[in-house]
Amino acid sequence: MKIPQGMHSVTPHLVCAGAAKAIDFYKQAFGAQETARMPGPDGKLMHAAVRIGDSTVMLADEMPEWGSLGPKSLKGSPVTIHLYVDDVDSFVARAVKAGAKVTMPVADQFWGDRYGKLEDPFGHHWSVATHVRDLSSEEMKQAMREMEKSMRKPGA
């Protein structure tokens, strides 16, 4: 299998209402670097790409005439893109300052990550984590059981 240099087997391709503004947001919030931009004749972005960490994310503007709609037009998204970063707390703080909304506050999780979730201004969902400890399969199962116990309501 041949994959272009700098790409991975799976690459998210986001449709945005305002892809150029989304690129600016990802630069400010996520430290993204723009690697490609191909505007169409009407000024909408037909294709663009940014690098976040070691991965590429492709973007395009909404084009309803081609059936290409983003989360805002669809009233939400069932997709979450996951990012591993060096310092999840400072990463999330920078993203919030740039306009992201926290949908799950950063906290230590039973699987060994410090983890939180964001929604960007374009309606895309992002989970962000810093891996803090490795756990065996059994340790993870036990930690999950303990978490489930703590979430049960008394008398249930």
Side-chain angles (χ1 to χ4, degrees), residues 11-89:
T11 302
H13 195 152
L14 306 179
V15 175
C16 301
K21 288 181 182 177
I23 290 170
D24 292 340
F25 170 80
Y26 297 137
K27 286 178 179 178
Q28 184 180 5
F30 297 171
Q33 297 176 315
E34 184 176 330
T35 59
R37 184 183 291 234
M38 289 188 262
D42 61 357
K44 286 186 175 184
L45 291 182
M46 302 295 289
H47 174 77
V50 296
R51 180 165 293 287
I52 300 172
D54 68 352
S55 299
T56 296
V57 175
M58 293 189 262
L59 299 100
D61 265 305
E62 282 192 326
M63 295 182 201
E65 64 277 16
W66 294 357
S68 183
L69 301 171
K72 296 281 185 173
S73 293
L74 295 170
K75 309 271 189 276
S77 173
V79 176
T80 299
I81 303 166
H82 186 72
L83 299 172
Y84 273 110
V85 298
D86 288 330
D87 180 354
V88 67
D89 294 281

